Amino acid sequence: MTNEIFEKFTAQVQTFIAPVQELNKLYIYNIEKLFEIQLNSARDYTEICLEQMRSASDITDQKALESFLSKQGETFKTISEKVIADSQAVANIGTEFSSEAQKIAEKSVEAASAAVNIAQVAKKAPVAKKAA
């Protein structure tokens, strides 16, 4: 009898803990993706800055200055495109996270409802009397 109660309790606890575990895994997965985007962005922007510094240090005359200034439009275009791509990637992660979290929540509600229904049926069931 005690084992049966303990097993039922363990099953009910697992029913409620499983969604939390799934959400934790989802959080970790998404945080990893965000960190990856941040690291790649930092590397890319650092490269752009270093290239700009190298180009600026090569300016020795007016022709080199004009060449450097004419390339600034390309550089700003590259940075703008990178910012847009990074923003879209982060937005996609947010959308995917929201969708997956919603699925986990719905599954959790279904499992909890099923557990409540089982508990209600068990309460209504007649208790068998032990033979004396």
Side-chain angles (χ1 to χ4, degrees):
M1 178 73 176
T2 304
N3 284 342
E4 183 180 323
I5 292 172
F6 183 72
E7 288 172 5
K8 286 181 182 180
F9 174 76
T10 302
Q12 288 176 346
V13 168
Q14 187 59 33
T15 299
F16 292 107
I17 290 177
V20 173
Q21 290 173 329
E22 284 184 66
L23 278 174
N24 283 337
K25 289 177 184 178
L26 183 61
Y27 284 133
I28 291 168
Y29 175 76
N30 283 286
I31 287 171
E32 287 175 345
K33 287 171 66 173
L34 288 171
F35 284 163
E36 182 180 333
I37 289 170
Q38 288 179 331
L39 289 172
N40 288 338
S41 293
R43 185 183 60 246
D44 293 344
Y45 296 133
T46 301
E47 277 296 317
I48 291 169
C49 288
L50 290 172
E51 184 59 37
Q52 287 294 301
M53 290 171 49
R54 287 185 198 108
S55 296
S57 68
D58 289 341
I59 298 173
T60 56
D61 58 13
Q62 184 166 344
K63 187 174 183 180
L65 176 61
E66 289 172 1
S67 175
F68 174 77
L69 293 175
S70 69
K71 291 180 183 177
Q72 294 307 298
E74 289 178 33
T75 301
F76 289 127
K77 180 181 177 190
T78 300
I79 292 170
S80 298
E81 290 171 352
K82 179 72 177 142
V83 167
I84 290 169
D86 290 345
S87 299
Q88 288 174 340
V90 170
N92 288 341
I93 289 171
T95 301
E96 290 173 15
F97 175 80
S98 177
S99 174
E100 290 299 314
Q102 183 69 30
K103 289 177 188 175
I104 291 169
E106 289 171 359
K107 193 166 65 172
S108 174
V109 168
E110 289 173 10
S113 295
V116 168
N117 290 340
I118 290 171
Q120 289 174 345
V121 168
K123 283 183 179 179
K124 293 178 182 177
V127 177
K129 294 183 180 178
K130 291 184 180 181

